[in-house]
Amino acid sequence: MALSPMRGLAYTLRNTVYVALTNECNSVTLIASRGPSFKMPVSSGFVHLDNGKEPGAQHVFDVVEDAWREGKEPPEGVVFAGVGEPLLRLDVLKESAKRIKAKRQGIQLRLNSNGLVPAKESARMAAELFACGVEAASVSLTTADPEQYAILMQPTNGCGHADVCTFVTRLVENGVQVTCSAVEHPEVDISATRSLAISLGAVAFVARPYFP
């Protein structure tokens, strides 16, 4: 049975459905990292999840089905993203992915993540993500400099730049196509960050504009 819609659960960019699993994060959020004047496009319908409310797998499945039924054409993909870090709700992510893939086999599932996963857990988590149907991931590498990373992203879970690099490598090893990204902050060496991303096995690198 379909559940009531949840405010902030889904938003749309181009013809892709983005799903928010939580507002919680273990670092500066990826949205905040874009700069103080960055705002999501109004046309996306993006808003935060209401405080204290987080979706279950059924909520996620329902909102994807709604998009499939209501759109002029089928969505090109589903991205686990939002304000918070999707991997903080890994169990819900995996169950949602399995349900979506069971109904819509051809749709691509992607993860947007800061990649702050403890190195000892990276291989297991990467394998679980691929097994549940997540074929692609965008990981914010941020910089090639570990000390600068700590300043810019302010991780709170004891992880750091090296853990992000390890997670990228483990995703690649498990068959997930990884795109690494960095924001064009004035002090970040984008060229060095791009080189690092490719050396880790990323299939692409995206430099995102900074909004001062």
Side-chain angles (χ1 to χ4, degrees):
M1 181 176 66
L3 302 176
S4 299
M6 181 177 288
R7 183 175 181 271
L9 170 56
Y11 53 103
T12 305
L13 293 170
R14 293 171 291 279
N15 193 32
T16 299
V17 179
Y18 287 71
V19 177
L21 299 182
T22 183
N23 288 337
E24 298 298 316
C25 199
N26 48 17
S27 72
V28 170
T29 68
L30 299 186
I31 290 175
S33 74
R34 296 293 301 274
S37 68
F38 175 75
K39 296 185 185 303
M40 293 288 287
V42 173
S43 60
S44 70
F46 171 85
V47 295
H48 288 58
L49 288 165
D50 289 336
N51 286 337
K53 292 190 176 181
E54 294 182 328
Q58 187 64 46
H59 287 105
V60 176
F61 175 79
D62 287 347
V63 80
V64 171
E65 284 300 292
D66 287 346
W68 200 279
R69 287 191 295 265
E70 296 169 6
K72 294 181 180 178
E73 54 187 75
E76 293 177 5
V78 175
V79 182
F80 296 99
V83 174
E85 171 52 49
L87 293 178
L88 294 180
R89 303 199 68 220
L90 181 61
D91 288 345
V92 171
L93 190 161
K94 291 191 298 183
E95 181 60 28
S96 302
K98 289 175 183 176
R99 294 188 187 191
I100 295 167
K101 276 292 190 181
K103 184 70 177 291
R104 307 293 180 187
Q105 292 90 346
I107 199 166
Q108 185 190 66
L109 302 184
R110 188 171 90 230
L111 166 70
N112 280 7
S113 175
N114 60 24
L116 284 166
V117 175
K120 64 182 180 181
E121 299 178 17
S122 286
R124 172 188 60 81
M125 193 174 294
E128 290 178 359
L129 287 167
F130 186 74
C132 73
V134 176
E135 304 120 309
S138 175
V139 178
S140 180
L141 195 54
T142 305
T143 174
D145 182 339
E147 293 183 4
Q148 185 180 56
Y149 180 89
I151 294 168
L152 292 174
M153 294 304 292
Q154 303 172 33
T156 61
N157 66 341
C159 293
H161 191 258
D163 297 284
V164 178
C165 293
T166 298
F167 187 52
V168 170
T169 301
R170 298 294 176 260
L171 285 169
V172 171
E173 290 173 348
N174 280 275
V176 179
Q177 294 218 323
V178 179
T179 296
C180 286
S181 68
V183 175
E184 294 173 320
H185 190 281
E187 298 177 5
V188 171
D189 186 336
I190 292 296
S191 178
T193 310
R194 178 184 289 107
S195 296
L196 175 59
I198 300 306
S199 74
L200 295 172
V203 297
F205 176 81
V206 177
R208 305 190 189 281
Y210 179 70
F211 292 78

